[in-house]
Amino acid sequence: LAELIKNGKIDLTKFKTVSDHELEEELKLIVKQNEKATFGALMGIAMSKFKNKADPKKISEIIKKLI
């Protein structure tokens, strides 16, 4: 709302979500780069990367599938 008042419009591109395919590919890289990390650590890394761009439940499912 503040952005609407300030600029007269809202930039919806920052609310764009990540596709399932793109999410899975990125998570594969995260898991590969952090092979010794625990599930919680991998979730933390993924959540910081995909903040408000992917469903945490979907991230969790994919990570569980990959480890």
Side-chain angles (χ1 to χ4, degrees), residues 16-24 26 50 53-54 58:
K16 184 179 177 193
T17 59
V18 179
S19 73
D20 288 351
H21 177 72
E22 184 180 354
L23 178 63
E24 188 160 352
E26 288 292 325
F50 295 107
K53 298 202 181 288
K58 182 161 288 287

Side-chain angles (χ1 to χ4, degrees), residues 1-65:
L1 219 54
E3 185 177 343
L4 178 61
I5 294 168
K6 183 177 178 183
N7 299 329
K9 61 183 178 176
I10 296 177
D11 180 17
L12 297 177
T13 58
K14 62 182 166 185
F15 299 109
K16 184 179 177 193
T17 59
V18 179
S19 73
D20 288 351
H21 177 72
E22 184 180 354
L23 178 63
E24 188 160 352
E25 291 301 313
E26 288 292 325
L27 290 175
K28 282 180 186 177
L29 283 174
I30 289 171
V31 170
K32 185 177 181 181
Q33 292 171 348
N34 301 281
E35 291 178 10
K36 306 247 185 225
T38 64
F39 171 77
L42 292 170
M43 275 298 291
I45 294 167
M47 291 304 295
S48 67
K49 181 172 179 102
F50 295 107
K51 188 183 300 179
N52 299 324
K53 298 202 181 288
D55 178 22
K57 187 175 179 182
K58 182 161 288 287
I59 291 173
S60 174
E61 290 172 2
I62 294 171
I63 289 176
K64 285 178 183 176
K65 184 174 82 171

